[in-house]
Amino acid sequence: MEIGKKDDFWTISKKFRNDIGIFFENAKDLNICEIGSYKGHTTNYLSNIFKKVYPVDINYKNHIISKNFNKNKKNIEYIHLNLYKDDWKEIPDDVDVVLIDAHHDYKFCKMDVLNSLKRFKKLKYIIFDDYAIYEGVKKTVNEFIDSKIIYPVKNVGLDSNELSKIKTLNDIAKSQNLILDSSEGIICKLINKPDNIITTPLDLLHINLFTCNNCGTIFKKIYHYNNHKKNCNLDNIKKIIHDLNNN
């Protein structure tokens, strides 16, 4: 069964995936990098459209679930990476399209765009999830559009009326004083790649985060980190990864 945003608000909607499929219907020679790949439902769909898919996630557990879900796919290369601390050189540079769906705060989302521009020499398109729902994503996208670095070519996913009917998403928007007046996501074309792109290390942004040493999950609140740490078992994770890689 295909999981969509109405089933799990952390993933993208089925309509979003279908819209990507229509827009990139002739993309069999293009590679895509999924920044924040979660549990692999979108990865599965992308693998049917693109030549190669690079799902990037910091959470080992997400990769375990995704590998199991996509075990019959041969064009997926998983990359475990802390996007905001590790070197993006661990991601292959032959990427034509990026789907950004990681941390939605402005500083993080902007860093994802800058790192994508810097790392991927062949980059043609950037797809943004949760454009309507998170202020940080909307601010990032609009800033790069205003700077004439990217150009919006297609709204994708659920429209504002459909989004407003999902209570969790409506609550998230209201908590930021946002009005749901745009689509779930947006596809932008790279039109003017800047020279000398500078990415600021996370520690210089004065952002305090708590990272689980076992699975790599990042938390902004110490009490969320402490609650997670009680139940995160590295030995179990390693065993599952070993079993998956040897099946």
Side-chain angles (χ1 to χ4, degrees):
M1 183 182 74
E2 183 183 358
I3 302 296
K5 210 168 193 72
K6 294 178 181 178
D7 310 298
D8 183 346
F9 73 89
W10 291 114
T11 190
I12 67 175
S13 68
K14 299 173 186 177
K15 187 174 186 300
F16 195 134
R17 296 183 191 122
N18 290 336
D19 287 343
I20 291 175
I22 293 170
F23 187 85
F24 291 102
E25 61 179 345
N26 298 313
K28 286 296 183 182
D29 293 327
L30 301 182
N31 299 329
I32 187 168
C33 181
E34 191 181 0
I35 303 297
S37 54
Y38 195 43
K39 296 181 179 179
H41 299 289
T42 302
T43 306
N44 181 280
Y45 189 87
L46 296 175
S47 70
N48 297 323
I49 302 171
F50 294 93
K51 180 180 179 182
K52 187 86 174 182
V53 184
Y54 300 111
V56 182
D57 207 285
I58 192 173
N59 193 320
Y60 277 119
K61 291 181 181 178
N62 285 343
H63 275 336
I64 291 168
I65 294 169
S66 180
K67 282 183 178 181
N68 189 49
F69 182 66
N70 296 302
K71 58 188 175 183
N72 294 323
K73 299 290 185 178
K74 305 301 181 184
N75 62 334
I76 300 174
E77 182 179 331
Y78 291 91
I79 298 163
H80 177 256
L81 189 75
N82 184 329
L83 291 163
Y84 311 109
K85 288 187 177 181
D86 297 337
D87 194 330
W88 276 47
K89 288 182 179 178
E90 294 185 38
I91 309 174
D93 65 355
D94 60 338
V95 170
D96 304 282
V97 184
V98 170
L99 169 56
I100 294 180
D101 188 16
H103 205 301
H104 294 333
D105 284 1
Y106 168 70
K107 290 181 179 179
F108 294 91
C109 190
K110 182 175 181 178
M111 194 182 299
D112 288 337
V113 177
L114 289 173
N115 276 316
S116 295
L117 293 172
K118 185 177 181 179
R119 176 61 182 155
F120 307 129
K121 309 304 181 187
K122 298 167 48 184
L123 188 63
K124 300 175 180 66
Y125 293 95
I126 303 178
I127 309 169
F128 296 90
D129 182 31
D130 290 325
Y131 175 70
I133 303 161
Y134 286 92
E135 181 183 16
V137 178
K138 181 169 283 191
K139 181 179 178 181
T140 298
V141 174
N142 292 345
E143 184 178 292
F144 280 94
I145 290 173
D146 291 342
S147 299
K148 295 183 172 24
I149 294 173
I150 58 175
Y151 182 81
V153 292
K154 185 175 178 60
N155 293 324
V156 290
L158 303 175
D159 61 30
S160 56
N161 182 54
E162 293 169 312
L163 289 171
S164 65
K165 294 177 182 178
I166 303 176
K167 185 179 183 305
T168 304
L169 303 182
N170 210 12
D171 290 345
I172 291 172
K174 285 181 178 178
S175 70
Q176 304 166 92
N177 297 316
L178 277 182
I179 298 173
L180 291 174
D181 59 357
S182 51
S183 61
E184 176 187 356
I186 187 168
I187 299 176
C188 295
K189 185 174 183 178
L190 178 60
I191 57 173
N192 184 24
K193 192 171 185 178
D195 297 323
N196 302 318
I197 299 167
I198 299 174
T199 53
T200 306
L202 193 66
D203 54 352
L204 296 182
L205 295 177
H206 306 294
I207 301 171
N208 293 320
L209 296 173
F210 304 93
T211 304
C212 175
N213 292 327
N214 286 351
C215 68
T217 306
I218 298 176
F219 298 90
K220 294 176 68 176
K221 303 290 185 182
I222 184 65
Y223 59 84
H224 289 153
Y225 166 73
N226 286 334
N227 287 335
H228 165 85
K229 193 167 61 170
K230 295 175 186 176
N231 300 305
C232 188
N233 190 313
L234 180 60
D235 291 335
N236 286 343
I237 293 173
K238 286 182 175 179
K239 182 179 185 303
I240 297 173
I241 291 176
H242 178 271
D243 292 345
L244 283 173
N245 288 336
N246 287 279
N247 284 338

